[in-house]
Structures are given as C-alpha cells and as structure tokens.
Amino acid sequence: AQSVAQPEDQVNVAEGNPLTVKCTYSVSGNPYLFWYVQYPNRGLQFLLKYITGDNLVKGSYGFEAEFNKSQTSFHLKKPSALVSDSALYFCAVADYGQNFVFGPGTRLSVLP
Amino acid sequence: DTAVSQTPKYLVTQMGNDKSIKCEQNLGHDTMYWYKQDSKKFLKIMFSYNNKELIINETVPNRFSPKSPDKAHLNLHINSLELGDSAVYFCASSPHPNEKLFFGSGTQLSVL
C-alpha cells in the first residue's frame, strides 16, 4: 500500500529566505508524485508533479521539487519565500493505476 | 468560468436528515472524485468514477451514495446524517487516473 509522510506540521520562514517542505513516500512500483497548495477556504491547487525524467521538477509560482529515489523523498523548495506563499501544502503519491494518497499537510508561514 | 464547481458551499443540517452535494466539471475530464477533509485537514478519497462508472469505493458508510448521471457530473447523496459527517467535502476531476487533480472549492458540511 502506498503512503506519504510530511514530517513537519508547521514550517516558519522569513520572507526572502529559501524554504523547504519535506515529503517522503512509500509505493511498491514507480511513484507518481504531486504537490498541491491549499489557501484558506479554497480547494487544493496543483503546483507540480514528477512522473519520470529529470529529478528536479519546476512548477507554479517559482516552486520546485527534487525527486530522490534512494531516500524516497520529494521535497518542495523555493529559493526566496513570499508572504503570499503562506498556506497549507500537501504532498500526494500514487502507484500506477491507483488513486492518490495525500500526506497530512504542512502549514507554511512566511513572516514579513 | 469555474472548472470544477460544487454546490452548495455551506450546508448546515440536523442529525438524521438526508442531503445532497452537486458537482460539475467543464474540463471534459473522464475521471471524477469525492474527497473528505476532516477538521485536522486530513484528506481522504471516498469515491472515484471513470466515465460514469465507479472504479473505487473506499471504506465509507453506505449512507453515502455517489451518482454520476453523465461524465461531467458527480453528485454525493448522504442519508441519515451523523455528527461525524461534519467535514469539508471536495469534488475533483482529472483527465485520467494518475493525472493532476482539479479541485472544486469545497462544501463545508455541519451536522448539528
């Protein structure tokens, strides 16, 4: 069975500093990996995905994520955080043909 | 135009009532889903439909019944509502399974 862990409930970072939101996963086959962002009272919005190819994936709003097969990780990164990046971030994983399992979410607060 | 729209946005009702949530997508996607987000923000899939056919039904009480009249609609009917049903319910769609999800803005259900 597939599973996702986001080890940090909350990440605080100062505006302008780099940010990292961590995600580790477990699947039996090759993973389909996604990051989504949820702003208050809104549905989730797609940020980026990894299915195959280059381990560094670039997505929306300047975010990127690095796929690391040996560490089974897919950490979300951004070189310079904005206050408007403050939101709830979800990592999701699926095995081929299976539905996505979402992580518990990490709340990112970017302080001015 | 909203890609995935669900109504109502808020639903407040008494225990024991029956209620429905409607979802429509105008993206031409083949696959639609219902997710439940609890008060701790955990997201769990409830149902998945592909071309109007149920392809996954996670362990949810049979008081919950999805109905897909056509590919663009997936409604959720809930019988005999219980306090524990209080949550935010999200509809989502994707072109195919394992593709990125497009979420509606959610229906906040409060059972009193």
Side-chain angles (χ1 to χ4, degrees), chain A residues 32 34 36 38 41-46 49 51 88 90 94-100 102-104 107, chain B residues 9-10 33 35 37 40-43 45 48 55-56 58 90 97-106:
Chain A
Y32 291 70
F34 287 67
Y36 290 85
Q38 186 178 26
N41 301 315
R42 303 284 296 276
L44 279 71
Q45 295 175 37
F46 169 80
K49 69 178 180 183
I51 295 175
L88 191 54
F90 290 93
D95 210 337
Y96 177 75
Q98 301 298 312
N99 282 296
F100 283 99
F102 281 81
R107 190 165 298 282
Chain B
K9 190 166 176 63
Y10 300 98
Y33 310 81
Y35 281 86
Q37 187 174 45
K40 294 187 177 174
K41 304 298 183 184
F42 288 112
L43 258 176
I45 189 165
S48 169
I55 57 173
I56 190 165
E58 292 292 320
F90 286 102
N98 297 146
E99 276 288 342
K100 76 178 188 185
L101 298 168
F102 291 76
F103 282 85
S105 56

Side-chain angles (χ1 to χ4, degrees), chain B residues 18-76:
Chain B
D18 302 339
K19 289 293 177 186
S20 291
I21 307 172
K22 295 185 175 182
C23 178
E24 176 182 5
Q25 54 97 1
N26 63 7
L27 298 166
H29 289 167
D30 285 345
T31 311
M32 295 185 73
Y33 310 81
W34 277 108
Y35 281 86
K36 179 180 179 180
Q37 187 174 45
D38 65 22
S39 58
K40 294 187 177 174
K41 304 298 183 184
F42 288 112
L43 258 176
K44 191 158 183 217
I45 189 165
M46 301 173 71
F47 300 102
S48 169
Y49 266 74
N50 192 50
N51 267 322
K52 300 195 309 172
E53 285 190 34
L54 179 67
I55 57 173
I56 190 165
N57 177 359
E58 292 292 320
T59 308
V60 298
N62 56 15
R63 298 181 294 105
F64 290 80
S65 53
K67 284 240 168 61
S68 183
D70 55 59
K71 217 170 73 162
H73 295 84
L74 181 62
N75 303 324
L76 183 65

Side-chain angles (χ1 to χ4, degrees), chain A residues 46-93:
Chain A
F46 169 80
L47 276 180
L48 50 81
K49 69 178 180 183
Y50 173 84
I51 295 175
T52 186
D54 195 351
N55 288 345
L56 185 63
V57 179
K58 293 193 184 297
S60 308
Y61 313 121
F63 283 93
E64 58 190 28
E66 187 163 13
F67 171 64
N68 187 317
K69 188 171 182 178
S70 62
Q71 296 186 3
T72 61
S73 67
F74 190 56
H75 300 332
L76 181 70
K77 301 182 181 191
K78 187 172 182 181
S80 178
L82 300 172
V83 171
S84 57
D85 293 330
S86 299
L88 191 54
Y89 289 80
F90 290 93
C91 182
V93 68

